[in-house]
């Protein structure tokens, strides 16, 4: 799960025009306090819901619990799932690579306990994973590095780093060459061996979802730095220049819908809503309703991945 929330002011209730149902809309009650509103041709769909327990979407559009894991991450195109075990066995933590089509699960050893690997991010190719390595300081878990796992080689490498921000979470860049994480008031890029190759200061921390990068790989999404009043910002990845300030108050960010729209959780309906918002901050559609209990008690997270 790649969860990321913003402590922003609550958005007023979404107007009826933004959430009105269409004749071609498919409404799915997941049974988890979440109702999905899907349409043919959507670029993204919910393939996993992580709350009190992780659930994966099945072929008949139901969501089944995945026992033994505290988190799951679905690869692009949905051909593999990464599972993070609740209770590591032996001296090492691990990540499970679940291939549903082949009905095969491969366990890849990661960090040596008590270090734990958390928050799995797939590369765009679906061939490797980035995981954040954490340790406890007695009260909470703090990041101390990252692990990269190669699916084909069935092996992982751990890199420990000093001076990480307390909210650092590692993910692959669109080309799969580097790893990015929040760093102070911006983001930092590392080679797989840990060497720093680039820092973008003052852009804010990266948004949530399965990737902070737009589908084209040209834009980076962040929570705007403090000097802006807007919640979300986009930046040109090549130049680091500001492209958009998205004027919408959000409860959480869930990545990109397409190159011109973001996914965001807002206060609305009878609790909370997942909405598609353009890069000016206009809500163009509601794609899920989330009950207050699911949001507040279960801390539910919706994993949106490619629909085809």
């Amino acid at each position: 799960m790649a969860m990321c929330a913003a402590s922003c002011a609550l958005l007023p209730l979404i107007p009826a025009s933004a959430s009105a149902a269409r004749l071609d809309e498919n409404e799915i009650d997941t049974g988890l306090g979440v109702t999905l509103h899907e349409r043919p041709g959507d670029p993204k769909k919910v393939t996993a819901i992580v709350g009190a327990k992780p659930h994966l979407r099945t072929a008949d559009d139901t969501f089944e619990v995945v026992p033994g894991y505290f988190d799951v991450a679905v690869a692009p195109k949905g051909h593999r799932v990464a599972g993070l075990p609740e209770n590591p066995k032996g001296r090492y933590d691990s990540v499970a690579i679940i291939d549903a089509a082949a009905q095969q699960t491969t366990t890849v050893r990661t960090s040596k306990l008590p270090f734990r690997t958390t928050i799995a991010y797939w590369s765009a190719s679906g061939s490797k994973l980035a995981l954040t390595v954490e340790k406890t300081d007695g009260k909470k878990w703090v990041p101390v590095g990252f692990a990269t796992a190669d699916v084909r080689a069935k092996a992982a490498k751990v890199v420990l780093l000093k001076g990480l921000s307390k909210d650092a979470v590692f993910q692959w860049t669109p080309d799969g060459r580097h790893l990015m994480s929040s760093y102070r008031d911006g983001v930092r890029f590392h080679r797989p061996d840990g060497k720093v190759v680039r820092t973008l200061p003052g852009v804010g921390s990266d948004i949530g979802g399965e990737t902070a990068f737009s589908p084209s790989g040209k834009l980076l999404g962040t929570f705007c730095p403090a000097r802006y009043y807007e919640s979300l910002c986009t930046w040109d990845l090549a130049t680091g220049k500001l492209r958009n300030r998205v004027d919408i108050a959000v409860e959480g960010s869930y990545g990109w819908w397409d190159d011109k729209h973001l996914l965001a959780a807002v206060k609305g309906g009878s609790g909370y809503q997942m909405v598609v918002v353009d890069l000016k901050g206009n809500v163009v559609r509601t794609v899920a309703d989330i009950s207050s209990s699911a949001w507040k008690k279960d801390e539910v997270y919706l994993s949106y991945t490619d629909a085809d």
Side-chain angles (χ1 to χ4, degrees):
M1 173 186 65
M3 180 61 179
C4 194
S7 54
C8 305
L10 300 183
L11 185 75
L13 297 184
I14 301 300
S17 59
S19 58
R22 287 182 14 163
L23 293 177
D24 61 347
E25 190 167 272
N26 183 28
E27 184 174 289
I28 300 173
D29 183 353
T30 66
L32 301 170
V34 177
T35 299
L36 308 178
H37 308 290
E38 299 182 340
R39 297 175 188 169
D42 282 348
K44 304 281 185 178
K45 70 176 181 180
V46 175
T47 51
I49 297 178
V50 180
K53 294 285 185 179
H55 291 73
L56 284 175
R57 188 172 188 155
T58 66
D60 61 359
D61 293 331
T62 60
F63 286 80
E64 293 187 359
V65 68
V66 189
Y69 302 98
F70 72 88
D71 196 8
V72 294
V74 180
K77 310 302 181 184
H79 56 298
R80 296 188 184 99
V81 177
L84 300 179
E86 289 180 326
N87 301 302
K89 297 179 180 179
R91 296 186 299 158
Y92 289 86
D93 202 356
S94 63
V95 59
I97 310 298
I98 306 166
D99 188 326
Q103 296 185 335
Q104 181 179 354
T105 298
T106 301
T107 300
V108 178
R109 192 173 71 177
T110 55
S111 57
K112 189 175 182 179
L113 299 174
F115 294 141
R116 293 292 307 269
T117 40
T118 63
I119 314 179
Y121 275 95
W122 286 96
S123 63
S125 65
S127 63
K128 52 189 178 181
L129 286 161
L131 305 106
T132 301
V133 177
E134 298 182 340
K135 73 172 183 179
T136 179
D137 65 358
K139 296 181 180 180
K140 58 183 179 180
W141 290 87
V142 295
V144 294
F146 62 80
T148 55
D150 186 292
V151 173
R152 179 174 294 182
K154 301 178 181 178
K157 179 182 179 180
V158 172
V159 176
L160 299 181
L161 299 168
K162 295 181 179 179
L164 293 177
S165 294
K166 62 181 180 180
D167 59 348
V169 174
F170 290 87
Q171 62 180 287
W172 290 105
T173 54
D175 60 9
R177 295 179 57 208
H178 301 121
L179 297 101
M180 182 198 72
S181 70
S182 294
Y183 180 72
R184 297 181 180 176
D185 64 346
V187 297
R188 174 164 278 186
F189 299 82
H190 296 261
R191 289 194 325 204
D193 64 5
K195 182 178 179 180
V196 175
V197 293
R198 186 185 186 191
T199 301
L200 291 178
V203 300
S205 60
D206 50 290
I207 60 173
E210 304 313 302
T211 176
F213 302 100
S214 64
S216 67
K218 295 180 179 180
L219 296 177
L220 165 68
T222 70
F223 290 107
C224 290
R227 64 183 180 274
Y228 300 139
Y229 70 84
E230 295 90 352
S231 293
L232 305 176
C233 286
T234 73
W235 308 81
D236 186 291
L237 186 58
T239 65
K241 293 183 178 180
L242 178 67
R243 290 286 296 274
N244 305 97
R245 289 156 62 174
V246 185
D247 188 11
I248 180 173
V250 301
E251 291 292 302
S253 165
Y254 284 69
W256 292 80
W257 179 252
D258 56 29
D259 276 324
K260 296 181 179 180
H261 298 86
L262 293 163
L263 282 162
V266 299
K267 182 76 171 179
S270 60
Y272 297 81
Q273 294 179 316
M274 188 70 67
V275 298
V276 176
V277 57
D278 68 21
L279 299 184
K280 293 183 179 179
N282 301 309
V283 173
V284 300
R285 181 175 158 201
T286 297
V287 290
D289 284 289
I290 306 170
S291 71
S292 293
S293 176
W295 181 262
K296 294 180 179 180
K297 181 180 178 181
D298 297 333
E299 297 182 341
V300 70
Y301 171 82
L302 310 185
S303 175
Y304 280 88
T305 56
D306 295 339
D308 54 9

